[in-house]
Amino acid sequence: MVAELDRLEGVYRNILKNNGVETFDARATLVDAHTVALSTGETKTAKHILVATGGWPARPDIPGAELAITSNEIFHLDELPKSILIVGGGFIACEFACIMNGLGAKTTQFYRGAQVLRGFDDEARGLVSEEMIQSGVDLHLGTNVLEMKKVEDGIWVKATNGSEHVFDQVMFATGRAPNSANLGLEDLGISLDRSGAIEVDAYSQTAVPSVYAIGDVTNRINLTPVAIREGMAFVETVFKGNPTPVDHDLVPSAVFTQPELGTVGLSEEAARDQEPIEVYCTSFKPMQSAFAGNSNRVMMKLVVSQSSRKVLGCHIVAPQAGEMIQLAGIAVKMGATKEDFDRVVAVHPTMSEEIVTMRTPVRRG
Ligand code: NDP
């Protein structure tokens, strides 16, 4: 795993080198609107400065928190733990719970809320957690860690529900914070919001006109392809004389749990708060896996505006849902209506054919 990460880093370093980019392996601090001081003692000046320092795992402030690993360290474990507790209910917690469970570690997950993947469509997150539990993840909702201690055979954990357990490893997946500390930003008059994110406008420009910021350090939509788009828009704006705002609307994404959850647009709950909707939804055991004796359910859902007929949200829980939502995302981004979806002939037998064959709404409101 580490070897693969090192290989990938090498690939990226080569891309930079081949494109004439000079890199410095040093910490940098902004000292004025056009100058960066490096920890090596050198200073560099430039017409424009782009801050893209990303995020860093956040740890809850509890006794023994330092005993836990985060997604930064999990790739560096020497061996697969026999048992692991994963704390959190977001992308990283759910993905790693599935990975560790799939690799054969006895996997427990604590999430403080009532259902994992807060913010996603309720029915979709319900099905993902049901399938995770079915596949062996010991998921405890409404549960958090109170205290941890090193003991002879691992890490002792006391939970908010009073239970006590010992795990080989504990991993915090409790969010990532913008990596904006000690960059000299505030001294320059660049403001950070309450989460520590650098405040930027639609062109990723900060309050200091020569300084821009993109990616997780701005805490807009924290996804790699979004950061890449922000970078492209920065290049258009600053170097090509073509001011380009970043389009953060209708960004498709996928949670790589088992099964995967692919989503674009509004959840049923968010859409209902906005306007009257119709909901088309089907959940079934796909033929291809049923024949193989696998009983996992999948789900396809469209959230449709009653007035414009536009598909406001598409939610898919299924193997390869990430692949499916990339394509469905094109139609939704184009403003397709439910009738546009219906005009497309099904590809049979597939799972995703359901997305064009749902005729009757399951709910209106
Ligand atoms: P998320 O913000 O998605 O989830 C954080 C989780 O930790 C939430 O369930 C939150 O609970 C919980 N939490 C926060 N603070 C505490 C605390 N003090 N005690 C207990 N639980 C706590 O962050 P992740 O770390 O999962 O992921 C970071 C970012 O990486 C995300 O923005 C995501 O977009 C991105 N990512 C994307 C992937 C993808 O595209 N497939 C894969 C991996 C990461 P609550 O809901 O109650 O606030």
Side-chain angles (χ1 to χ4, degrees):
M1 181 65 89
V2 175
E4 178 58 15
L5 291 174
D6 286 347
R7 189 190 68 81
L8 282 171
E9 191 190 337
V11 169
Y12 281 102
R13 277 186 187 269
N14 270 332
I15 292 174
L16 290 172
K17 204 169 125 205
N18 296 340
N19 284 283
V21 177
E22 208 185 344
T23 54
F24 298 86
D25 289 347
R27 294 212 61 85
T29 319
L30 274 69
V31 288
D32 68 38
H34 298 282
T35 311
V36 170
L38 298 183
S39 51
T40 52
E42 294 162 277
T43 54
K44 292 280 156 193
T45 57
K47 188 168 175 195
H48 301 288
I49 297 172
L50 178 66
V51 182
T53 45
W56 197 254
R59 286 167 186 265
D61 186 16
I62 53 161
E66 71 285 354
L67 297 170
I69 56 169
T70 69
S71 56
N72 279 4
E73 292 82 32
I74 196 151
F75 294 117
H76 296 274
L77 294 179
D78 291 331
E79 55 187 31
L80 182 71
K82 283 189 201 60
S83 64
I84 185 164
L85 168 67
I86 295 181
V87 184
F91 276 82
I92 295 182
C94 293
E95 289 179 352
F96 273 100
C98 291
I99 293 169
M100 298 311 279
N101 182 52
L103 287 172
K106 187 175 178 316
T107 305
T108 307
Q109 183 178 355
F110 285 0
Y111 173 55
R112 63 185 180 181
Q115 185 54 280
V116 294
L117 297 171
R118 182 165 60 82
F120 287 88
D121 184 87
D122 274 357
E123 242 173 330
R125 56 210 277 253
L127 179 53
V128 170
S129 80
E130 200 180 299
E131 291 294 330
M132 284 172 64
I133 293 166
Q134 280 236 334
S135 65
V137 175
D138 186 16
L139 174 62
H140 297 254
L141 298 172
T143 309
N144 210 345
V145 177
L146 267 185
E147 186 187 349
M148 304 198 301
K149 269 187 217 151
K150 181 96 195 83
V151 290
E152 205 183 320
D153 48 348
I155 301 167
W156 171 87
V157 171
K158 182 159 189 198
T160 44
N161 60 10
S163 65
E164 297 176 27
H165 316 255
V166 173
F167 300 97
D168 272 357
Q169 293 284 354
V170 177
M171 173 175 146
F172 284 137
T174 45
R176 293 171 64 87
N179 205 2
S180 58
N182 306 320
L183 287 173
L185 299 170
E186 295 96 323
D187 292 346
L188 244 68
I190 295 174
S191 42
L192 306 179
D193 72 10
R194 273 182 50 203
S195 72
I198 300 177
E199 291 185 343
V200 290
D201 66 11
Y203 301 92
S204 302
Q205 192 173 29
T206 70
V208 174
S210 58
V211 181
Y212 288 73
I214 56 166
D216 287 15
V217 77
T218 62
N219 198 21
R220 288 176 279 181
I221 298 179
N222 297 333
L223 298 170
T224 303
V226 174
I228 292 171
R229 286 295 170 97
E230 290 167 357
M232 304 295 222
F234 162 76
V235 170
E236 280 294 321
T237 303
V238 173
F239 296 106
K240 297 195 176 170
N242 174 28
T244 304
V246 186
D247 180 3
H248 288 105
D249 192 30
L250 294 173
V251 171
S253 67
V255 188
F256 291 94
T257 39
Q258 282 154 13
E260 295 175 9
L261 162 57
T263 191
V264 62
L266 298 177
S267 66
E268 177 180 338
E269 296 71 36
R272 185 172 290 117
D273 283 347
Q274 180 181 291
E275 61 182 281
I277 53 164
E278 281 180 358
V279 177
Y280 296 81
C281 186
T282 176
S283 182
F284 56 98
K285 291 179 181 172
M287 209 160 38
Q288 61 191 71
S289 50
F291 280 136
N294 185 330
S295 63
N296 291 355
R297 265 193 319 130
V298 305
M299 189 199 94
M300 309 275 157
K301 180 169 186 175
L302 293 177
V303 181
V304 177
S305 159
Q306 279 190 23
S307 59
S308 71
R309 304 299 299 154
K310 277 190 183 171
V311 174
L312 303 173
C314 175
H315 310 282
I316 301 176
V317 179
Q320 303 290 314
E323 300 287 347
M324 297 180 202
I325 206 68
Q326 178 70 84
L327 303 177
I330 299 170
V332 175
K333 184 83 181 164
M334 288 175 76
T337 61
K338 174 68 170 65
E339 287 63 36
D340 290 327
F341 273 68
D342 292 350
R343 283 192 295 123
V344 181
V345 174
V347 177
H348 183 72
T350 63
M351 285 178 260
S352 51
E353 67 180 302
E354 299 289 334
I355 219 86
V356 298
T357 55
M358 293 185 284
R359 290 289 174 258
T360 320
V362 289
R363 283 181 291 282
R364 281 169 193 273

